[in-house]
Coordinates of all heavy atoms in Angstrom, one line a residue:
T1179 N 11.5 7.3 20.5 CA 10.3 7.0 19.6 C 10.7 7.1 18.2 O 11.6 7.9 17.8 CB 9.1 7.9 20.0 OG1 8.0 7.4 19.2 CG2 9.4 9.3 19.7
Y1180 N 10.0 6.4 17.4 CA 10.1 6.6 15.9 C 9.0 7.6 15.5 O 8.1 7.8 16.2 CB 9.9 5.2 15.2 CG 11.2 4.4 15.1 CD1 11.7 3.9 16.3 CD2 11.9 4.2 14.0 CE1 12.9 3.1 16.3 CE2 13.0 3.5 13.9 CZ 13.6 3.0 15.1 OH 14.7 2.3 15.1
V1181 N 9.3 8.2 14.3 CA 8.5 9.3 13.9 C 8.1 9.1 12.4 O 9.0 8.7 11.6 CB 9.3 10.7 14.0 CG1 8.5 11.8 13.4 CG2 9.6 10.9 15.5
I1182 N 6.9 9.4 12.0 CA 6.5 9.4 10.6 C 6.6 10.8 10.0 O 6.0 11.7 10.6 CB 5.1 8.8 10.5 CG1 5.1 7.3 10.9 CG2 4.6 8.9 9.0 CD1 3.8 6.6 10.9
A1183 N 7.3 10.9 8.9 CA 7.5 12.2 8.4 C 6.7 12.4 7.1 O 5.9 11.6 6.7 CB 9.0 12.4 8.1
Q1184 N 7.1 13.5 6.4 CA 6.3 14.0 5.2 C 5.9 12.9 4.2 O 4.8 13.0 3.6 CB 7.0 15.1 4.6 CG 6.2 15.8 3.5 CD 7.0 17.0 2.9 OE1 8.1 16.9 2.5 NE2 6.4 18.2 3.0
P1185 N 6.8 12.0 3.8 CA 6.5 11.1 2.7 C 5.2 10.3 2.9 O 4.6 9.8 1.9 CB 7.7 10.2 2.6 CG 8.8 11.0 3.2 CD 8.2 11.8 4.3
C1186 N 4.8 10.1 4.1 CA 3.5 9.4 4.4 C 2.3 10.1 3.9 O 1.3 9.5 3.6 CB 3.4 9.0 5.9 SG 2.0 8.0 6.3
I1187 N 2.4 11.4 3.9 CA 1.2 12.2 3.6 C 0.5 11.9 2.3 O 1.2 11.8 1.2 CB 1.5 13.8 3.6 CG1 1.9 14.2 5.0 CG2 0.3 14.6 3.1 CD1 2.4 15.6 5.2
D1188 N -0.8 11.5 2.4 CA -1.6 11.1 1.2 C -1.1 9.8 0.6 O -1.6 9.5 -0.5 CB -1.7 12.2 0.2 CG -2.4 13.5 0.7 OD1 -3.2 13.3 1.6 OD2 -2.1 14.6 0.3
V1189 N -0.2 9.1 1.2 CA 0.3 7.8 0.7 C -0.4 6.8 1.6 O -1.1 5.9 1.1 CB 1.8 7.7 0.7 CG1 2.2 6.3 0.3 CG2 2.4 8.7 -0.2
K1190 N -0.1 6.9 2.9 CA -0.8 6.0 3.9 C -0.8 4.6 3.5 O -1.8 3.9 3.4 CB -2.2 6.5 4.1 CG -2.2 7.9 4.7 CD -3.6 8.6 4.8 CE -4.4 8.0 5.9 NZ -5.7 8.8 6.0
D1191 N 0.4 4.1 3.2 CA 0.5 2.7 2.7 C 0.1 1.7 3.8 O -0.4 0.6 3.5 CB 2.0 2.4 2.3 CG 2.3 1.0 1.9 OD1 2.0 0.7 0.8 OD2 2.7 0.2 2.8
K1192 N 0.4 2.0 5.0 CA 0.0 1.2 6.2 C 0.7 -0.2 6.3 O 0.3 -1.0 7.2 CB -1.5 1.0 6.2 CG -2.3 2.2 6.4 CD -3.7 2.0 6.6 CE -4.5 3.3 6.5 NZ -5.9 3.1 6.2
S1193 N 1.8 -0.4 5.6 CA 2.6 -1.6 5.8 C 3.2 -1.5 7.3 O 3.3 -2.6 7.9 CB 3.8 -1.7 4.9 OG 3.3 -1.8 3.6
C1194 N 3.4 -0.3 7.7 CA 4.0 -0.1 9.0 C 3.1 -0.7 10.1 O 3.5 -1.2 11.1 CB 4.3 1.3 9.3 SG 2.9 2.4 9.1
V1195 N 1.8 -0.4 9.9 CA 0.8 -0.8 11.0 C 0.8 -2.3 11.2 O 0.8 -2.8 12.3 CB -0.6 -0.4 10.5 CG1 -1.7 -0.9 11.5 CG2 -0.7 1.1 10.4
D1196 N 1.0 -3.1 10.1 CA 1.0 -4.6 10.2 C 2.3 -5.0 11.0 O 2.3 -6.1 11.6 CB 1.0 -5.2 8.8 CG -0.3 -4.9 8.1 OD1 -1.3 -4.7 8.8 OD2 -0.3 -4.9 6.9
E1197 N 3.4 -4.3 10.9 CA 4.6 -4.7 11.5 C 4.7 -4.4 13.0 O 5.4 -5.0 13.7 CB 5.8 -4.0 10.8 CG 6.1 -4.5 9.4 CD 6.4 -6.0 9.4 OE1 7.1 -6.5 10.2 OE2 5.8 -6.7 8.5
C1198 N 4.0 -3.4 13.4 CA 4.2 -2.9 14.8 C 3.6 -3.9 15.8 O 2.4 -4.1 15.8 CB 3.5 -1.5 14.9 SG 3.8 -0.8 16.6
P1199 N 4.5 -4.4 16.7 CA 4.1 -5.4 17.7 C 3.2 -4.8 18.8 O 2.6 -5.6 19.5 CB 5.4 -5.9 18.2 CG 6.4 -4.8 18.0 CD 6.0 -4.1 16.8
V1200 N 3.2 -3.5 19.0 CA 2.4 -2.9 20.1 C 1.3 -2.0 19.6 O 0.6 -1.3 20.3 CB 3.3 -2.1 21.0 CG1 4.3 -3.0 21.8 CG2 4.1 -1.0 20.3
D1201 N 1.0 -2.1 18.3 CA -0.1 -1.3 17.7 C -0.1 0.1 18.1 O -1.2 0.6 18.5 CB -1.4 -2.0 18.0 CG -1.6 -3.4 17.4 OD1 -1.0 -3.6 16.3 OD2 -2.3 -4.2 18.0
C1202 N 1.0 0.8 17.9 CA 1.0 2.2 18.4 C 1.1 3.2 17.2 O 1.4 4.3 17.4 CB 2.2 2.4 19.3 SG 3.8 2.3 18.5
I1203 N 0.7 2.7 16.0 CA 0.7 3.6 14.8 C -0.8 3.8 14.5 O -1.6 2.9 14.2 CB 1.4 2.9 13.6 CG1 2.8 2.5 14.0 CG2 1.4 3.9 12.4 CD1 3.6 1.8 12.9
Y1204 N -1.2 5.1 14.5 CA -2.6 5.5 14.4 C -2.8 6.3 13.2 O -2.0 7.1 12.8 CB -3.0 6.3 15.7 CG -2.9 5.5 17.0 CD1 -1.7 5.4 17.6 CD2 -4.0 4.9 17.5 CE1 -1.6 4.6 18.8 CE2 -3.9 4.2 18.7 CZ -2.7 4.1 19.3 OH -2.6 3.3 20.5
E1205 N -4.0 6.2 12.7 CA -4.4 6.9 11.4 C -4.9 8.3 11.7 O -5.9 8.5 12.4 CB -5.4 6.0 10.6 CG -5.7 6.7 9.3 CD -6.3 5.7 8.3 OE1 -6.6 4.6 8.7 OE2 -6.5 6.1 7.1
G1206 N -4.4 9.3 11.0 CA -4.9 10.6 10.9 C -5.5 10.9 9.6 O -5.6 10.0 8.8
E1207 N -5.9 12.1 9.3 CA -6.6 12.4 8.1 C -5.7 12.2 6.9 O -6.1 11.5 5.9 CB -7.0 13.8 8.1 CG -8.3 14.1 7.3 CD -9.0 15.4 7.7 OE1 -9.4 15.5 8.9 OE2 -9.1 16.2 6.9
R1208 N -4.5 12.7 6.9 CA -3.6 12.6 5.7 C -2.4 11.8 5.9 O -1.6 11.6 5.0 CB -3.2 14.0 5.2 CG -4.5 14.8 4.8 CD -4.1 16.2 4.3 NE -3.2 16.0 3.1 CZ -2.4 17.0 2.6 NH1 -2.4 18.2 3.2 NH2 -1.7 16.9 1.5
S1209 N -2.1 11.3 7.1 CA -0.9 10.7 7.5 C -1.1 9.7 8.7 O -2.2 9.8 9.3 CB 0.2 11.7 7.8 OG 1.3 11.1 8.3
L1210 N -0.2 8.9 8.9 CA -0.3 8.1 10.1 C 0.7 8.6 11.2 O 1.7 9.4 10.8 CB -0.1 6.6 9.9 CG -1.4 5.9 9.4 CD1 -1.7 6.2 8.0 CD2 -1.3 4.4 9.7
Y1211 N 0.5 8.3 12.4 CA 1.3 8.9 13.5 C 1.7 7.8 14.5 O 0.9 6.9 14.8 CB 0.5 10.0 14.2 CG 0.2 11.1 13.4 CD1 -1.1 11.2 12.7 CD2 1.0 12.2 13.2 CE1 -1.4 12.2 11.8 CE2 0.7 13.3 12.3 CZ -0.5 13.3 11.7 OH -0.8 14.3 10.9
I1212 N 2.9 7.9 15.0 CA 3.4 6.9 16.0 C 3.2 7.5 17.4 O 3.7 8.6 17.7 CB 4.8 6.6 15.7 CG1 4.9 5.8 14.4 CG2 5.4 5.7 16.9 CD1 6.3 5.6 13.9
H1213 N 2.5 6.8 18.3 CA 2.4 7.3 19.6 C 3.7 7.3 20.4 O 4.3 6.2 20.6 CB 1.4 6.4 20.4 CG 0.9 7.1 21.7 ND1 1.7 7.4 22.7 CD2 -0.4 7.5 22.0 CE1 1.0 8.0 23.6 NE2 -0.2 8.1 23.2
P1214 N 4.2 8.5 20.8 CA 5.5 8.6 21.3 C 5.7 7.8 22.7 O 6.9 7.5 23.0 CB 5.8 10.1 21.5 CG 4.4 10.7 21.5 CD 3.5 9.8 20.7
D1215 N 4.7 7.6 23.4 CA 4.9 6.9 24.7 C 4.7 5.4 24.5 O 5.2 4.6 25.3 CB 3.9 7.4 25.7 CG 4.1 8.9 26.0 OD1 5.3 9.3 26.0 OD2 3.1 9.6 26.3
E1216 N 3.9 5.0 23.5 CA 3.7 3.6 23.3 C 4.7 2.9 22.5 O 4.9 1.7 22.5 CB 2.3 3.4 22.6 CG 1.2 3.9 23.5 CD -0.2 3.8 22.9 OE1 -0.3 3.3 21.7 OE2 -1.2 4.3 23.5
C1217 N 5.4 3.6 21.6 CA 6.5 3.0 20.7 C 7.6 2.5 21.6 O 8.1 3.1 22.5 CB 7.0 4.1 19.8 SG 8.4 3.6 18.8
I1218 N 8.0 1.2 21.3 CA 9.0 0.6 22.1 C 10.4 0.6 21.3 O 11.3 -0.1 21.7 CB 8.7 -0.9 22.4 CG1 8.4 -1.7 21.2 CG2 7.4 -0.9 23.4 CD1 8.2 -3.2 21.4
D1219 N 10.5 1.4 20.3 CA 11.7 1.6 19.6 C 12.3 0.3 19.0 O 13.5 0.1 18.9 CB 12.8 2.2 20.5 CG 12.5 3.7 20.8 OD1 11.6 4.3 20.2 OD2 13.2 4.2 21.7
C1220 N 11.4 -0.6 18.5 CA 11.9 -1.9 18.0 C 12.4 -1.7 16.6 O 13.2 -2.5 16.1 CB 10.7 -2.9 18.0 SG 9.5 -2.6 16.8
G1221 N 12.0 -0.7 15.9 CA 12.5 -0.4 14.5 C 11.8 -1.3 13.4 O 12.2 -1.1 12.3
A1222 N 10.9 -2.1 13.8 CA 10.3 -3.0 12.8 C 9.6 -2.3 11.6 O 9.5 -2.7 10.5 CB 9.3 -4.0 13.5
C1223 N 9.0 -1.1 11.9 CA 8.2 -0.4 10.9 C 9.1 0.3 9.9 O 8.6 0.5 8.8 CB 7.3 0.7 11.7 SG 8.3 1.8 12.7
E1224 N 10.2 0.7 10.3 CA 11.1 1.6 9.4 C 11.4 1.0 8.1 O 11.1 1.6 7.0 CB 12.3 2.0 10.2 CG 13.1 3.0 9.5 CD 14.6 2.9 9.7 OE1 15.1 2.8 10.8 OE2 15.3 2.8 8.6
P1225 N 11.9 -0.3 8.0 CA 12.2 -0.8 6.7 C 11.1 -1.1 5.8 O 11.3 -1.3 4.5 CB 13.1 -2.0 7.0 CG 12.7 -2.4 8.4 CD 12.2 -1.2 9.1
V1226 N 9.9 -1.3 6.3 CA 8.8 -1.7 5.4 C 8.0 -0.6 4.8 O 7.2 -0.8 3.9 CB 7.7 -2.6 6.2 CG1 8.4 -3.8 6.8 CG2 7.0 -1.8 7.3
C1227 N 8.3 0.6 5.2 CA 7.6 1.7 4.5 C 8.1 2.0 3.1 O 9.3 2.2 2.9 CB 7.8 3.0 5.3 SG 7.0 4.4 4.5
P1228 N 7.3 1.8 2.1 CA 7.8 1.9 0.7 C 8.3 3.3 0.3 O 9.0 3.5 -0.7 CB 6.5 1.5 -0.1 CG 5.4 1.8 0.7 CD 5.8 1.6 2.2
V1229 N 7.9 4.3 1.1 CA 8.3 5.7 0.7 C 9.3 6.2 1.8 O 9.6 7.4 1.8 CB 7.1 6.7 0.6 CG1 6.3 6.3 -0.6 CG2 6.2 6.7 1.8
E1230 N 9.8 5.3 2.6 CA 10.8 5.7 3.6 C 10.4 7.0 4.5 O 11.2 7.9 4.6 CB 12.2 5.9 3.0 CG 12.7 4.6 2.4 CD 14.0 4.7 1.7 OE1 14.9 5.5 2.2 OE2 14.3 4.0 0.8
A1231 N 9.2 6.9 5.0 CA 8.7 8.0 5.8 C 9.1 7.9 7.3 O 8.8 8.8 8.0 CB 7.2 8.1 5.7
I1232 N 9.6 6.7 7.7 CA 9.8 6.5 9.2 C 11.2 6.6 9.6 O 12.1 6.0 8.9 CB 9.2 5.1 9.5 CG1 7.8 5.0 9.0 CG2 9.2 4.9 11.0 CD1 7.2 3.6 9.3
F1233 N 11.4 7.3 10.7 CA 12.8 7.6 11.2 C 12.8 7.5 12.7 O 11.8 7.8 13.3 CB 13.3 9.0 10.8 CG 13.3 9.2 9.3 CD1 12.2 9.8 8.7 CD2 14.4 9.0 8.6 CE1 12.2 10.0 7.3 CE2 14.4 9.2 7.2 CZ 13.3 9.7 6.6
Y1234 N 14.0 7.0 13.2 CA 14.2 7.2 14.7 C 14.2 8.7 15.0 O 14.7 9.4 14.2 CB 15.5 6.4 15.1 CG 15.7 6.5 16.6 CD1 14.8 5.9 17.5 CD2 16.8 7.2 17.1 CE1 14.9 6.0 18.8 CE2 17.0 7.3 18.5 CZ 16.0 6.7 19.3 OH 16.2 6.8 20.7
E1235 N 13.8 9.0 16.1 CA 13.7 10.5 16.4 C 14.9 11.3 16.2 O 14.9 12.4 15.8 CB 13.1 10.7 17.9 CG 14.0 10.1 18.9 CD 13.4 10.3 20.3 OE1 13.0 11.5 20.6 OE2 13.3 9.4 21.1
D1236 N 16.1 10.7 16.5 CA 17.4 11.4 16.3 C 17.8 11.4 14.9 O 18.8 12.1 14.6 CB 18.4 10.7 17.2 CG 18.2 10.9 18.7 OD1 17.4 11.8 19.0 OD2 18.8 10.1 19.5
D1237 N 17.2 10.6 14.0 CA 17.6 10.5 12.6 C 16.7 11.1 11.7 O 16.8 11.0 10.4 CB 17.8 9.0 12.3 CG 18.8 8.3 13.2 OD1 19.7 9.0 13.6 OD2 18.6 7.1 13.4
V1238 N 15.7 11.9 12.1 CA 14.7 12.5 11.2 C 15.5 13.6 10.4 O 16.2 14.4 11.0 CB 13.6 13.2 12.0 CG1 12.6 13.9 11.1 CG2 12.8 12.2 12.8
P1239 N 15.5 13.6 9.1 CA 16.2 14.6 8.3 C 15.7 16.0 8.7 O 14.6 16.2 9.1 CB 15.7 14.3 6.9 CG 15.3 12.9 6.9 CD 14.7 12.6 8.3
E1240 N 16.7 16.9 8.7 CA 16.5 18.3 9.2 C 15.2 18.9 8.6 O 14.5 19.6 9.3 CB 17.7 19.1 8.9 CG 17.8 20.3 9.8 CD 19.2 20.9 9.9 OE1 20.2 20.1 9.8 OE2 19.3 22.1 10.0
E1241 N 15.0 18.7 7.3 CA 13.8 19.4 6.7 C 12.5 18.9 7.2 O 11.5 19.5 7.0 CB 13.9 19.3 5.2 CG 13.7 17.9 4.6 CD 15.0 17.2 4.3 OE1 16.0 17.3 5.1 OE2 15.1 16.4 3.3
W1242 N 12.5 17.7 7.9 CA 11.3 17.2 8.4 C 11.3 17.1 10.0 O 10.5 16.4 10.6 CB 11.1 15.7 7.9 CG 10.9 15.7 6.4 CD1 10.3 16.7 5.6 CD2 11.2 14.6 5.5 NE1 10.3 16.3 4.3 CE2 10.8 15.1 4.2 CE3 11.8 13.4 5.7 CZ2 11.0 14.2 3.1 CZ3 12.0 12.6 4.6 CH2 11.6 13.0 3.3
A1243 N 12.2 17.9 10.6 CA 12.4 17.9 12.0 C 11.1 18.2 12.7 O 10.8 17.7 13.8 CB 13.5 18.9 12.4
D1244 N 10.2 19.0 12.1 CA 9.0 19.4 12.8 C 8.0 18.2 12.9 O 7.1 18.3 13.7 CB 8.2 20.5 11.9 CG 8.9 21.8 12.0 OD1 9.8 22.0 12.9 OD2 8.6 22.7 11.2
Y1245 N 8.3 17.2 12.2 CA 7.3 16.0 12.2 C 7.4 15.3 13.6 O 6.4 14.7 14.0 CB 7.6 15.0 11.1 CG 6.9 15.6 9.8 CD1 7.6 16.6 9.1 CD2 5.7 15.2 9.4 CE1 7.0 17.1 8.0 CE2 5.1 15.7 8.3 CZ 5.7 16.7 7.6 OH 5.1 17.2 6.5
Y1246 N 8.5 15.4 14.3 CA 8.5 14.9 15.7 C 7.4 15.6 16.5 O 6.5 14.9 17.1 CB 9.8 15.1 16.4 CG 9.8 14.7 17.8 CD1 10.0 13.4 18.2 CD2 9.6 15.7 18.8 CE1 9.9 13.0 19.5 CE2 9.5 15.3 20.1 CZ 9.7 13.9 20.5 OH 9.6 13.6 21.8
T1247 N 7.3 16.9 16.4 CA 6.3 17.7 17.1 C 4.9 17.4 16.6 O 3.9 17.2 17.3 CB 6.5 19.2 16.9 OG1 7.9 19.4 17.2 CG2 5.6 20.0 17.8
Y1248 N 4.8 17.2 15.2 CA 3.5 16.9 14.7 C 2.9 15.6 15.2 O 1.7 15.4 15.5 CB 3.5 16.8 13.1 CG 3.9 18.1 12.4 CD1 4.4 18.0 11.1 CD2 3.8 19.3 13.0 CE1 4.8 19.1 10.4 CE2 4.2 20.5 12.4 CZ 4.7 20.4 11.1 OH 5.1 21.5 10.4
N1249 N 3.8 14.6 15.4 CA 3.4 13.3 15.9 C 2.9 13.5 17.3 O 1.9 13.0 17.7 CB 4.6 12.3 15.9 CG 4.6 11.5 14.6 OD1 4.3 10.3 14.5 ND2 5.0 12.2 13.5
V1250 N 3.7 14.2 18.1 CA 3.3 14.4 19.5 C 2.0 15.2 19.6 O 1.1 14.8 20.4 CB 4.4 15.1 20.3 CG1 3.9 15.5 21.7 CG2 5.7 14.3 20.4
E1251 N 1.8 16.2 18.8 CA 0.6 17.0 18.9 C -0.6 16.3 18.5 O -1.7 16.5 18.9 CB 0.8 18.3 18.0 CG 1.7 19.3 18.6 CD 1.9 20.5 17.7 OE1 1.6 20.5 16.5 OE2 2.5 21.5 18.2
F1252 N -0.4 15.4 17.5 CA -1.6 14.6 17.1 C -2.2 13.9 18.3 O -3.5 13.9 18.4 CB -1.1 13.5 16.0 CG -2.2 12.6 15.6 CD1 -3.3 13.1 14.8 CD2 -2.3 11.3 16.0 CE1 -4.3 12.2 14.4 CE2 -3.3 10.4 15.6 CZ -4.3 10.9 14.8
F1253 N -1.4 13.4 19.2 CA -2.0 12.6 20.3 C -2.4 13.6 21.4 O -3.4 13.3 22.1 CB -1.0 11.6 20.8 CG -0.7 10.6 19.8 CD1 0.4 10.6 19.0 CD2 -1.6 9.6 19.6 CE1 0.6 9.6 18.0 CE2 -1.4 8.6 18.6 CZ -0.3 8.6 17.8
D1254 N -1.9 14.8 21.5 CA -2.3 15.8 22.4 C -3.8 16.2 22.1 O -4.5 16.5 23.0 CB -1.4 17.0 22.4 CG -0.1 16.8 23.1 OD1 0.0 15.8 23.8 OD2 0.8 17.6 22.9
E1255 N -4.1 16.2 20.8 CA -5.4 16.7 20.4 C -6.5 15.6 20.5 O -7.6 15.9 20.3 CB -5.3 17.2 18.9 CG -4.5 18.5 18.9 CD -4.1 18.9 17.5 OE1 -4.5 18.2 16.5 OE2 -3.3 19.8 17.3
L1256 N -6.1 14.4 20.7 CA -7.1 13.3 20.7 C -7.9 13.4 22.0 O -7.5 13.9 23.0 CB -6.5 12.0 20.6 CG -5.9 11.6 19.2 CD1 -5.3 10.2 19.3 CD2 -6.9 11.7 18.1
Ligands
SF4_4 FE1 5.9 0.2 16.4 FE2 8.4 -0.6 16.7 FE3 7.7 1.2 14.8 FE4 7.7 1.8 17.4 S1 9.5 1.3 16.2 S2 6.1 2.3 15.9 S3 7.0 -0.1 18.3 S4 7.1 -1.0 14.9
F3S5 FE1 2.8 5.9 6.0 FE2 4.8 4.4 5.2 FE3 3.3 3.6 7.2 S1 3.5 5.5 3.9 S2 1.3 4.5 6.6 S3 4.6 5.4 7.2 S4 4.1 2.3 5.6

């Protein structure tokens, strides 16, 4: 799955939402989140984010590693 990390917070540009072919990017209060089971790993969202907030799960920078969990937890709480 792809993961949205810290740069999205309070930016919420949403260019990624328009690119996603399966509509698996959902809006939270301060950030958007990618549904880990619905994402098909196409990578289309990653290059369009103006603040480079989106990473493949294995490529999330270490300082933002917790964002994988934050994405998963967002959907657990729904
Ligand atoms: Fe959607 Fe593809 Fe991005 Fe996954 S990688 S969130 S399927 S655009
Ligand atoms: Fe956030 Fe970037 Fe999408 S700022 S809403 S991850 S385009």
Side-chain angles (χ1 to χ4, degrees):
T1179 185
Y1180 277 69
V1181 173
I1182 294 180
Q1184 189 179 54
C1186 183
I1187 293 175
D1188 295 333
V1189 176
K1190 297 170 77 173
D1191 176 81
K1192 295 186 194 162
S1193 299
C1194 56
V1195 174
D1196 295 333
E1197 288 303 316
C1198 183
V1200 294
D1201 293 332
C1202 68
I1203 307 177
Y1204 296 82
E1205 184 162 6
E1207 210 161 300
R1208 296 184 61 197
S1209 172
L1210 275 77
Y1211 299 91
I1212 295 172
H1213 195 298
D1215 297 327
E1216 295 177 6
C1217 175
I1218 58 170
D1219 290 348
C1220 73
C1223 55
E1224 191 213 307
V1226 301
C1227 177
V1229 293
E1230 296 182 32
I1232 308 177
F1233 301 89
Y1234 181 63
E1235 57 181 313
D1236 292 340
D1237 299 330
V1238 178
E1240 202 160 326
E1241 68 265 37
W1242 296 330
D1244 289 346
Y1245 281 79
Y1246 174 82
T1247 310
Y1248 298 161
N1249 271 250
V1250 173
E1251 284 176 348
F1252 175 73
F1253 296 100
D1254 285 346
E1255 286 164 12
L1256 289 183

